[in-house]
């Protein structure tokens, strides 16, 4: 059990998780750590449940909705299982503009802005790394991509610029050393952050090093926060602006907004 913090976030994880309502209070507890009780006047805005063992009552979901609090359920790998919360805005005109964004100037502008923030973040992260040839190449690639991004005339060009720069950035991060208490007893490929791609051939989703698994977990938590933000302002998290192809089951807008904050997540991970 952790929280609530200054932002009103409560995190509960482990086994035997229970969330229910008793005497008008929300009760959050685990089998080993006891419980926390919240009234309607407490500063409570977000409940994050990390685990797959326990129960969450329908009355608890209703209680959270009544106090405008969001509930996220995340499995231990960082995959979001469900999100429940109120929608503060419901405007069909906004969703219509979102749906047509890939074919309007708005989509290109958003694609540039999101990736501009991402490239600026790349430079901040690379500036924290130990100087090396791969880091220097990544910085040069990022500077070139920043200049090329301003001249991009289509979303496809924006995607290409980002992909070329991203390869150099991830190569530089791969050499970041991981500190372990008993490093001599661990596999060699655990000694560094490791390659972003997985040896299982599923992109970055099935991480094969602890460092990349941490990146995936932090990214999973961030995706839940972005999905909540999208729903709060009335956007559809699954309807992207064109930076990602539409795929069944993927919330494209979430991962497109993630472009802007991914370097911040990497700084947290480092």
């Amino acid at each position: 059990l952790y929280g609530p913090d200054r932002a009103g976030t409560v995190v509960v994880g482990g086994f035997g998780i229970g969330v229910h309502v008793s005497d008008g209070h929300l009760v959050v507890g685990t089998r080993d750590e006891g419980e926390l009780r919240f009234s309607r006047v407490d500063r409570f805005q977000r409940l994050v449940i990390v685990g797959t063992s326990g129960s969450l009552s329908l009355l608890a979901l209703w209680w959270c909705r009544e106090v405008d609090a969001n509930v996220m359920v995340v499995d231990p790998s960082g995959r979001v299982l469900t999100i429940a919360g109120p929608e503060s805005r419901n405007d069909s005109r906004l969703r219509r503009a979102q749906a047509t964004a890939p074919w309007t100037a708005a989509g290109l502008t958003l694609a540039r802005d999101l990736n501009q923030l991402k490239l600026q973040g790349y430079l901040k992260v690379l500036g924290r790394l130990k100087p090396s040839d791969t880091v220097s190449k990544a910085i040069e690639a990022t500077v070139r991509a920043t200049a090329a991004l301003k001249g991009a005339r289509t979303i496809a060009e924006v995607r290409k610029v980002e992909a070329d720069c991203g390869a150099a950035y991830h190569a530089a991060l791969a050499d970041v050393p991981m500190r372990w208490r008993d490093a001599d007893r661990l596999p060699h490929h655990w000694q560094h952050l490791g390659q972003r791609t997985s040896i299982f051939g599923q992109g970055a989703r099935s991480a094969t090093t602890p460092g990349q698994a941490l990146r995936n977990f932090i990214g999973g938590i961030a995706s839940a926060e972005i999905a909540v933000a999208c729903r709060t302002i009335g956007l559809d998290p699954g309807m992207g602006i064109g930076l990602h192809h539409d795929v069944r089951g993927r919330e494209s807008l979430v991962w497109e907004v993630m472009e802007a904050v991914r370097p911040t997540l990497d700084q947290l991970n480092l």
Side-chain angles (χ1 to χ4, degrees), residues 60-75:
L61 288 175
W62 172 86
W63 191 97
C64 291
R65 187 178 183 88
E66 287 296 295
V67 299
D68 290 333
N70 292 286
V71 179
M72 305 178 196
V73 183
V74 185
D75 75 9

Side-chain angles (χ1 to χ4, degrees), residues 219-241:
I221 297 294
S223 71
E225 291 288 341
I226 293 171
V228 168
C230 289
R231 293 177 181 181
T232 299
I233 64 175
L235 292 172
D236 184 341
M239 196 184 304
I241 61 172

Side-chain angles (χ1 to χ4, degrees), residues 123-144:
L123 291 175
K124 291 181 181 179
V125 174
L126 292 169
R128 294 183 54 190
L129 303 183
K130 184 178 180 180
S132 68
D133 290 340
T134 54
V135 172
S136 298
K137 291 179 181 178
I139 292 175
E140 293 174 2
T142 304
V143 172
R144 288 196 305 269

Side-chain angles (χ1 to χ4, degrees), residues 103-227:
W103 301 278
T104 66
L108 179 59
T109 299
L110 288 169
R112 282 179 184 161
D113 289 349
L114 289 171
N115 279 280
Q116 188 70 33
L117 290 169
K118 183 177 185 178
L119 296 180
Q120 292 172 1
Y122 276 1
L123 291 175
K124 291 181 181 179
V125 174
L126 292 169
R128 294 183 54 190
L129 303 183
K130 184 178 180 180
S132 68
D133 290 340
T134 54
V135 172
S136 298
K137 291 179 181 178
I139 292 175
E140 293 174 2
T142 304
V143 172
R144 288 196 305 269
T146 302
L149 188 62
K150 297 178 182 178
R153 292 292 178 263
T154 65
I155 292 181
E157 292 180 18
V158 174
R159 286 202 301 260
K160 185 178 186 307
V161 168
E162 189 279 330
D164 293 342
C165 173
Y169 172 76
H170 292 301
L173 282 184
D175 296 330
V176 173
M178 296 283 289
R179 295 188 294 272
W180 298 92
R181 181 174 298 172
D182 298 317
D184 294 339
R185 303 175 59 183
L186 296 172
H188 176 72
H189 71 282
W190 282 25
Q191 307 293 335
H192 296 84
L193 194 65
Q195 295 295 328
R196 185 62 177 151
T197 55
S198 170
I199 63 174
F200 297 118
Q202 299 179 8
R205 289 178 296 173
S206 298
T208 48
T209 66
Q212 295 295 348
L214 281 172
R215 292 182 78 188
N216 287 350
F217 183 81
I218 293 174
I221 297 294
S223 71
E225 291 288 341
I226 293 171

Side-chain angles (χ1 to χ4, degrees), residues 92-107:
S92 60
R93 296 169 299 177
L94 179 63
R95 286 194 172 92
R96 188 172 293 112
Q98 180 187 357
T100 58
W103 301 278
T104 66

